Amino acid sequence: MVRVGAAKTALAAILTAGTFAAVAAPAQADTLQQALTEAYRNNPTLVAARAQQRATDEGVAVEKAAGRPSLNSNGAVTEFLKRNATSFFAPDRIFTVGVDLAVPIYSGGAVRNAVRAAEERVQAGQADLRGTESAIFSQVVAAYMDVLRNQALVGLNLNQVDVLTVNTQATSDRFEIGDLTRTDVAQSQSRLALARSDLQTAQANLIAARENYIALVGQAPTDLQPPPPLPGLPEDVEMAVDVALENNPDVIAARERAQAAGYDIEVAGAGRLPRVSLFTGYDYQNFLGSVPGQILNPDDPTNPVINTPQSADAAQAGISFTIPIFQGGRPAALQRQAQARASAALENVIAAERDAIAQVRSAWSSWQASLAIIRSSQIAVDAAELSLEGVRAENSIGNRTVLDVLNAEQELLTARAQLVTARRNAYVAGFTLLAATGRAEARDLGFLEEGLLYDPALNYDRVEGKWWDWQRDPDPVTITTSTADTPAQTAAVPELEEITIERDY
């Protein structure tokens, strides 16, 4: 039969106690921190969410503008093509210009409550941005761990194909000398074919994982290193639920939107109340010399012609008010509509809380199960290694069949693959638990360099008090980079230590 000399030593690099691993590190390597940093800077979904939040910030300035003074001017030049027959002194043309200033005094609370609703929606949007950031990070962590896992599985399957290739050759040699039967050869060939099929599947999964990584991070993975321990994991599920109900961004956003919906009810009700404003204006007219002069007594040739003024101006100021009396039921309908939406928003708070609780408990369960599977799988790997060594030894003296050896090799491969997968699942579940409790964002993980943390409050503070109509930002440009030029990924994995295989006939 066959003995694998250094296979166990080589595969120990894949199954290290840390998490996954690979092999001799090249000159450049990627860490999880680098992957998260690159996604934080370059993920289009996250960058778009920040831009959307900046648009939400402007809602406060929009609503405040309704309570601020407004200044308008108007002008016209009119040419009278045909005069009225009785208009003896009408001008041929006229130029008019006017300036009007209006200052809202009272609007039934509509402006005040609209501003409050907009401010609540800004808070909700900032919570949504936190949720988007947390979701992107969770996807990046899963993609990072998927690449590590699938690299390890490809390595395991490559090793299995190498081992079974040697086994099949050794079995054929022993069949030639009459030591084994054709059945033994067929069994070895069958297992080798299945191992090659499993290798193809593992390689395809690795390519898919790498492409998904590129879509999220924006660049191809390069010799990913084992991830660091997760910080701040809760001690028990009850504590995790309590933290989530206070800090989960989806729950916070739902609560802020419910508050905003409450203000919307008052805004709708303000349509029934009076509106008062101050106004002033100035108007100027110029007839452009087209008003004819007037003769007081046409029969008196000495009577002089009186020149008519060719311009005039006027100014006015006052207080205006509007008192709604009947509007066909529109204000009541708008208020009932706002009340229904507020009711929906309140229910959405409960729904968000339920989702957060379910996410926490599910992630906790998956995390604990994965930790238990890691312990069991490690025991299984140790036992399977001993079992394979014993079966091979017994096969060499004729006490075990070739099928027994093949089964032992398959059991070891399965146990190792399960250990690799369990380690991936434990890390992803742990990070998912952090995300559900609102602790999986850049500010919590502390991996960014100083000055790189995006603070949405800075933009809100910048725009919420602006008055000038001509203040605008630079034209938008694409910030993130395309991956069209990134080469298509392969299933190549870093080379493992050379495996020495000894034949024992």
Side-chain angles (χ1 to χ4, degrees), residues 88-120:
F88 300 106
F89 301 102
D92 293 330
R93 63 194 62 84
I94 184 173
F95 166 71
T96 61
V97 64
V99 179
D100 298 304
L101 173 66
V103 181
I105 300 300
Y106 178 70
S107 60
V111 174
R112 180 181 67 254
N113 288 297
V115 170
R116 289 175 178 174
E119 289 172 343
E120 293 293 340

Side-chain angles (χ1 to χ4, degrees), residues 227-498:
L230 292 173
L233 287 169
E235 297 179 0
D236 54 63
V237 68
E238 290 79 12
M239 177 186 294
V241 168
D242 291 340
V243 173
L245 292 178
E246 291 296 326
N247 203 41
N248 183 281
D250 295 334
V251 174
I252 293 174
R255 290 171 180 165
E256 297 291 349
R257 289 194 174 90
Q259 292 284 345
Y263 290 123
D264 289 341
I265 297 174
E266 301 304 321
V267 173
R272 294 188 290 251
L273 301 176
R275 292 177 179 264
V276 181
S277 61
L278 299 176
F279 68 89
T280 185
Y282 173 79
D283 298 303
Y284 171 79
Q285 294 180 328
N286 192 311
F287 303 109
L288 303 177
S290 64
V291 178
Q294 301 183 35
I295 301 176
L296 296 179
N297 188 357
D299 296 331
D300 183 0
T302 63
N303 195 19
V305 176
I306 299 176
N307 293 325
T308 303
Q310 299 295 320
S311 64
D313 59 357
Q316 61 278 337
I319 300 176
S320 67
F321 61 90
T322 302
I323 302 176
I325 297 176
F326 179 70
Q327 303 176 60
R330 186 173 186 273
L334 289 175
Q335 193 164 48
R336 291 193 300 271
Q337 184 183 65
Q339 288 174 321
R341 289 173 176 165
S343 179
L346 290 173
E347 297 300 330
N348 287 337
V349 173
I350 301 300
E353 290 178 351
R354 289 185 180 184
D355 287 343
I357 293 170
Q359 290 172 16
V360 167
R361 291 173 177 170
S362 176
W364 177 273
S365 176
S366 297
W367 181 45
Q368 293 299 312
S370 297
L371 294 179
I373 293 172
I374 289 174
R375 292 189 291 268
S376 299
S377 297
Q378 187 61 65
I379 295 173
V381 168
D382 295 340
E385 289 174 347
L386 290 175
S387 174
L388 178 59
E389 184 178 353
V391 169
R392 282 174 173 163
E394 293 174 10
N395 173 262
S396 65
I397 60 176
N399 290 339
R400 292 280 187 166
T401 65
V402 170
L403 181 59
D404 292 332
V405 176
L406 294 174
N407 288 339
E409 289 172 344
Q410 184 62 42
E411 288 176 1
L412 178 57
L413 174 64
T414 301
R416 284 172 169 166
Q418 186 172 357
L419 178 59
V420 168
T421 300
R423 285 176 173 155
R424 177 266 179 200
N425 292 343
Y427 200 88
V428 172
F431 196 89
T432 302
L433 180 59
L434 287 179
T437 58
R439 294 178 173 176
E441 301 150 37
R443 63 177 185 176
D444 303 304
L445 300 176
F447 61 84
L448 291 177
E449 299 175 7
E450 185 177 355
L452 293 181
L453 187 66
Y454 183 86
D455 185 0
L458 295 179
N459 182 75
Y460 173 74
D461 294 338
R462 179 180 70 91
V463 302
E464 63 92 15
K466 288 185 178 292
W467 283 56
W468 181 234
D469 289 349
W470 295 95
Q471 290 174 304
R472 60 171 291 172
D473 289 341
D475 291 336
V477 295
T478 302
I479 296 176
T480 58
T481 56
S482 173
T483 59
D485 296 332
T486 304
Q489 296 299 288
T490 68
V493 296
E495 294 182 1
L496 299 173
E497 296 178 21
E498 182 180 357

Side-chain angles (χ1 to χ4, degrees), residues 65-278:
R68 292 170 177 165
S70 62
L71 181 65
N72 297 289
S73 65
N74 56 78
V77 177
T78 305
E79 183 76 22
F80 296 99
L81 302 179
K82 183 179 180 180
R83 293 184 181 182
N84 189 297
T86 61
S87 301
F88 300 106
F89 301 102
D92 293 330
R93 63 194 62 84
I94 184 173
F95 166 71
T96 61
V97 64
V99 179
D100 298 304
L101 173 66
V103 181
I105 300 300
Y106 178 70
S107 60
V111 174
R112 180 181 67 254
N113 288 297
V115 170
R116 289 175 178 174
E119 289 172 343
E120 293 293 340
R121 289 190 169 93
V122 168
Q123 296 297 320
Q126 291 180 358
D128 285 335
L129 183 58
R130 287 181 52 207
T132 300
E133 181 180 312
S134 179
I136 294 298
F137 282 176
S138 295
Q139 295 174 35
V140 170
V141 168
Y144 190 98
M145 301 306 293
D146 284 343
V147 172
L148 285 176
R149 175 192 61 185
N150 289 325
Q151 283 184 175
L153 293 179
V154 168
L156 288 170
N157 282 279
L158 279 170
N159 180 75
Q160 186 74 350
V161 168
D162 290 343
V163 170
L164 291 178
T165 298
V166 176
N167 283 354
T168 301
Q169 182 60 49
T171 302
S172 298
D173 293 344
R174 293 178 65 183
F175 168 74
E176 294 296 333
I177 62 176
D179 192 24
L180 296 175
T181 66
R182 186 172 296 278
T183 301
D184 296 322
V185 176
Q187 288 171 339
S188 297
Q189 292 173 340
S190 174
R191 290 298 177 90
L192 176 59
L194 290 175
R196 287 171 174 166
S197 175
D198 291 340
L199 175 59
Q200 291 292 329
T201 300
Q203 289 174 331
N205 291 339
L206 175 57
I207 292 174
R210 285 173 169 168
E211 293 294 348
N212 184 50
Y213 180 96
I214 293 172
L216 291 167
V217 177
Q219 60 186 23
T222 304
D223 185 38
L224 304 186
Q225 299 302 295
L230 292 173
L233 287 169
E235 297 179 0
D236 54 63
V237 68
E238 290 79 12
M239 177 186 294
V241 168
D242 291 340
V243 173
L245 292 178
E246 291 296 326
N247 203 41
N248 183 281
D250 295 334
V251 174
I252 293 174
R255 290 171 180 165
E256 297 291 349
R257 289 194 174 90
Q259 292 284 345
Y263 290 123
D264 289 341
I265 297 174
E266 301 304 321
V267 173
R272 294 188 290 251
L273 301 176
R275 292 177 179 264
V276 181
S277 61
L278 299 176

